[in-house]
Amino acid sequence: MKSIYGKLILGFLVSMLFSFSIAGYFSLRKNSDELGRLAEEELEMSSQHIADLLSLIDDEDLSRVLTGYSDTSEVNFFIECNGNKEIYGKVSGYELTYEQCELLKRNIGKTLIFQDSSVRKIARSYLLDGKSYIIYVQKDVGKREMIFIDSALIALFCMLVAGSITFLVIADIIVKPISRLNKATNELSKGNYRVRVNYAGNDEIARLNRSFNLMAQQLAKQEETRQQFISDVSHEFQTPLTAIQGFATILKNEQISDEQRKKYADIIVFHSKRLSTLSKNMLQLTVLDGEDVKLELSEFSLIEQLSRVIETQNNLALNKDIEIEFHVPKNDILIEADEARLEQVWINLVNNAIKYTNEHGVVTVEVKKSSKEIEVSIQDTGVGMSKEAISHIFERFYRQDKSRSVEGNGLGLSIVKRIIDLHKGVIDVVSVEDGGSQFTVKLPQERSFHLSEKLILTKKDKDNQ
């Protein structure tokens, strides 16, 4: 059975039959025991009533009275006295044995109880007017049991019909949202990321539908990002490729001068380097986005690393007459991190600060340390950014400079953000248009400490040895 609808109905029927079978068995047992107890009490009263009639009614009227009593009370009995037996009604299915008769005669007032299927029977001895009587009384309680069984079956049928109708309605309420969700899933698999399912409530199905809608939204966003990514990559590759193709075609002209040939060759080399950088950055982003990316942690001096980065970027700053100010703290700081990747963060941030700062500007690098974190800020006096640009600054291929007058491919800050995230740190941006920008990187402190503190610990360890 493939349909969940059919499985629910089958499960309901099986559970109903099983539960009613168990309940019916115990109910019948309970009802049979209760009917038997009531029948025994009734037979004892009937036996006593017959004994009273024997002692009160004259012999010539006794047979007629006892016959009338048997007919009206639906009680069948026989009376035995001195070996003579008188039967009233239809007594069947049991005969007292000689031993039972002798037992009753020896024990006046004793009662024997018998049960044969649905027929309840008792035999009791009486001493009346000096004579010993054995009164054997029986009554069929099968009709009462059948009435109870018929009532139970009618109740079962009514409950089964009512329960089935109710369950069908409930099953329909449960199955319909799942069917709609299944249809929506099929649409989603075909690439329709705009599909949504509507289901009011706060139950499991509602939460499942909300999760589906959230997944569809995320997939739609990812698809949009993918399309934008392809568009951006195509544009980023197309521009240098077009330049390389165009200038390479010009170089084929033998009539151009050596000076022009060198100029065009330099342009081709420039765009080739641009393509190479773009490819490397895209490959690095792919690696950093992987789930199994691991940091190669090592212990190194943060101050030495920043000094090395500033020194490598100093020539670019001097070409624009930009001064790089490095506020060095009093104590060196050791940090445990991925040295190569963290160095790439500082290179990107310092390089961006220089590129977007006009001539004669200032780039300031400052390091602060607190008990919980290390803070590195890189501030420039450049062109700054708008609020909209700040909200997109870490997106891939995003560049505020749409004219691309500044060299770059819009991947640097995406790489920076990913590396900082991998180090469990944060990066903040504060910027004002035409007033400069400040990037602040905060790294957790638990893996960092002063070099002087390490030296003290090392000295203590040597002294202890």
Side-chain angles (χ1 to χ4, degrees):
M1 189 173 292
K2 296 181 179 180
S3 172
I4 189 173
Y5 198 80
K7 291 178 180 178
L8 286 172
I9 294 175
L10 179 61
F12 168 75
L13 293 176
V14 171
S15 62
M16 285 281 289
L17 291 175
F18 178 75
S19 59
F20 272 106
S21 297
I22 299 297
Y25 172 76
F26 286 105
S27 297
L28 288 175
R29 285 290 302 272
K30 176 69 174 175
N31 179 69
S32 179
D33 293 341
E34 188 67 20
L35 286 177
R37 186 183 64 80
L38 292 175
E40 289 171 5
E41 292 179 357
E42 185 178 345
L43 290 174
E44 288 181 0
M45 293 174 63
S46 297
S47 176
Q48 184 63 48
H49 183 65
I50 293 170
D52 293 339
L53 292 175
L54 288 173
S55 62
L56 296 175
I57 304 300
D58 295 333
D59 291 341
E60 59 271 15
D61 297 326
L62 183 60
S63 178
R64 178 177 56 81
V65 172
L66 292 177
T67 301
Y69 176 72
S70 176
D71 294 337
T72 56
S73 63
E74 298 181 354
V75 174
N76 304 311
F77 57 92
F78 69 76
I79 302 170
E80 183 177 342
C81 179
N82 298 327
N84 297 320
K85 183 186 294 184
E86 295 182 9
I87 299 175
Y88 298 89
K90 297 179 180 180
V91 179
S92 60
Y94 198 87
E95 290 290 341
L96 293 176
T97 63
Y98 174 78
E99 290 79 6
Q100 291 171 339
C101 289
E102 291 299 317
L103 177 63
L104 290 172
K105 290 176 181 178
R106 291 194 304 267
N107 299 277
I108 301 299
K110 184 174 180 60
T111 302
L112 296 180
I113 301 174
F114 309 98
Q115 180 177 353
D116 182 14
S117 184
S118 61
V119 180
R120 301 286 174 159
K121 313 168 185 178
I122 69 167
R124 188 170 184 177
S125 60
Y126 294 89
L127 184 61
L128 303 172
D129 299 330
K131 296 179 181 180
S132 176
Y133 291 86
I134 296 176
I135 300 176
Y136 177 87
V137 187
Q138 71 177 32
K139 187 172 184 177
D140 189 356
V141 296
K143 292 182 179 179
R144 294 184 181 180
E145 290 181 347
M146 287 305 299
I147 292 174
F148 176 80
I149 293 173
D150 291 342
S151 300
L153 290 175
I154 293 173
L156 171 61
F157 177 77
C158 294
M159 292 181 68
L160 189 61
V161 172
S164 298
I165 295 174
T166 304
F167 185 79
L168 287 174
V169 174
I170 295 174
D172 191 60
I173 294 174
I174 295 174
V175 172
K176 272 190 176 178
I178 297 177
S179 299
R180 289 196 295 267
L181 183 62
N182 183 52
K183 292 180 181 178
T185 303
N186 291 333
E187 287 293 318
L188 190 67
S189 65
K190 296 176 183 177
N192 181 12
Y193 300 113
R194 295 189 300 273
V195 64
R196 298 290 184 271
V197 287
N198 298 319
Y199 182 84
N202 196 32
D203 55 13
E204 290 78 1
I205 296 179
R207 290 196 289 270
L208 179 62
N209 286 332
R210 285 195 291 269
S211 298
F212 174 85
N213 290 336
L214 181 61
M215 179 185 68
Q217 291 174 3
Q218 293 296 329
L219 288 175
K221 185 177 180 180
Q222 289 181 9
E223 177 63 17
E224 183 181 352
T225 303
R226 187 182 70 85
Q227 295 291 345
Q228 185 64 37
F229 178 79
I230 293 174
S231 175
D232 291 337
V233 169
S234 300
H235 186 275
E236 289 292 336
F237 272 87
Q238 187 62 36
T239 301
L241 284 175
T242 301
I244 291 173
Q245 184 179 9
F247 288 108
T249 302
I250 295 175
L251 286 177
K252 292 171 67 178
N253 186 356
E254 298 179 354
Q255 297 180 358
I256 62 174
S257 63
D258 292 339
E259 183 179 353
Q260 288 178 318
R261 191 181 302 276
K262 183 177 181 303
K263 176 182 177 182
Y264 297 150
D266 289 340
I267 294 175
I268 291 174
V269 171
F270 170 79
H271 286 291
S272 298
K273 289 181 178 179
R274 183 178 173 183
L275 281 176
S276 176
T277 302
L278 177 60
S279 299
K280 289 178 182 178
N281 286 341
M282 289 178 61
L283 179 61
Q284 186 172 14
L285 265 179
T286 302
V287 173
L288 291 174
D289 285 340
E291 294 182 359
D292 56 346
V293 60
K294 294 182 179 179
L295 297 176
E296 297 181 3
L297 299 178
S298 61
E299 203 172 78
F300 58 91
S301 169
L302 178 62
I303 305 304
E304 289 182 4
Q305 185 183 59
L306 287 170
S307 298
R308 184 169 60 250
V309 168
I310 291 172
E311 185 176 350
T312 58
Q313 298 296 311
N314 200 41
N315 287 335
L316 180 62
L318 291 176
N319 290 336
K320 297 178 67 175
D321 193 21
I322 293 174
E323 181 182 359
I324 301 178
E325 296 182 355
F326 183 23
H327 297 172
V328 181
K330 294 181 180 179
N331 298 315
D332 196 2
I333 297 175
L334 285 180
I335 186 171
E336 187 178 356
D338 189 320
E339 184 174 5
R341 288 197 167 114
L342 201 59
E343 185 162 330
Q344 187 176 4
V345 170
W346 313 133
I347 290 174
N348 270 286
L349 293 178
V350 174
N351 186 269
N352 277 353
I354 294 172
K355 284 193 298 185
Y356 289 97
T357 299
N358 297 323
E359 293 183 355
H360 315 302
V362 178
V363 174
T364 305
V365 180
E366 186 174 4
V367 182
K368 296 180 181 179
K369 179 180 178 299
S370 65
S371 58
K372 294 183 179 180
E373 59 188 12
I374 291 176
E375 181 181 300
V376 179
S377 66
I378 298 172
Q379 184 176 5
D380 61 64
T381 58
V383 296
M385 293 178 287
S386 64
K387 291 183 178 180
E388 181 183 358
I390 293 175
S391 63
H392 298 284
I393 194 65
F394 296 111
E395 295 178 5
R396 299 176 184 185
F397 295 109
Y398 179 82
R399 297 181 64 184
Q400 185 181 15
D401 179 23
K402 302 299 181 181
S403 65
R404 305 188 188 277
S405 59
V406 179
E407 180 184 353
N409 50 49
L411 292 177
L413 289 179
S414 298
I415 295 174
V416 167
K417 180 69 166 59
R418 181 60 181 150
I419 293 174
I420 296 301
D421 289 341
L422 289 173
H423 283 83
K424 309 299 181 184
V426 294
I427 180 169
D428 297 323
V429 184
V430 178
S431 184
V432 179
E433 289 188 271
D434 298 325
S437 303
Q438 179 177 352
F439 287 80
T440 303
V441 176
K442 298 178 181 179
L443 298 172
Q445 169 63 20
E446 57 267 15
R447 289 180 174 176
S448 309
F449 50 91
H450 285 300
L451 178 62
S452 58
E453 294 174 350
K454 182 182 179 183
L455 293 175
I456 293 174
L457 291 174
T458 306
K459 183 178 180 181
K460 286 184 178 180
D461 291 338
K462 290 182 179 179
D463 293 342
N464 293 331
Q465 293 177 354

